[in-house]
Amino acid sequence: MLPIDHEFVLLYILYGLLCCYIIYKIVSESKRNKFRFISYLIISLSLNGFLFYDVENFKGGGSLVVLFSSGVLLLFTFVTFVFDELVIN
């Protein structure tokens, strides 16, 4: 069960926007770039899945740690994606 606090809803919206943009790039880019974008998407979603899957992460005020860790993963994915867009392309 996913938490639905205001902070988590904002995080879900940001991840949704980032995933939509990555999916748009997957559809519109060449075959060579599709593999990189698919790997960004899979790695980001799987790491967050591991964070949210364990119920022990949310006990005793641990939801803030999950929120922070997921936010760091979002920021890392975004920076990697921007770096890819600016430098590699």
Side-chain angles (χ1 to χ4, degrees):
M1 176 177 227
L2 295 174
I4 53 171
D5 295 343
H6 297 303
E7 296 88 8
F8 281 101
V9 171
L10 177 64
L11 184 71
Y12 301 150
I13 290 171
L14 290 175
Y15 263 111
L17 290 173
L18 184 64
C19 288
C20 287
Y21 186 68
I22 291 175
I23 290 170
Y24 167 74
K25 294 300 275 186
I26 289 170
V27 171
S28 67
E29 290 291 322
S30 66
K31 230 178 195 182
R32 180 181 60 109
N33 292 335
K34 285 183 182 184
F35 179 73
R36 279 200 318 258
F37 296 140
I38 290 171
S39 64
Y40 292 156
L41 189 64
I42 289 173
I43 289 171
S44 175
L45 293 178
S46 64
L47 288 176
N48 277 309
F50 288 129
L51 274 174
F52 284 98
Y53 182 71
D54 191 12
V55 179
E56 295 294 321
N57 289 340
F58 295 99
K59 290 185 179 176
S63 63
L64 291 176
V65 175
V66 172
L67 181 67
F68 177 74
S69 300
S70 189
V72 168
L73 285 172
L74 175 73
L75 184 64
F76 181 72
T77 305
F78 181 72
V79 167
T80 305
F81 192 72
V82 168
F83 180 75
D84 182 67
E85 287 290 319
L86 294 176
V87 175
I88 295 177
N89 292 332

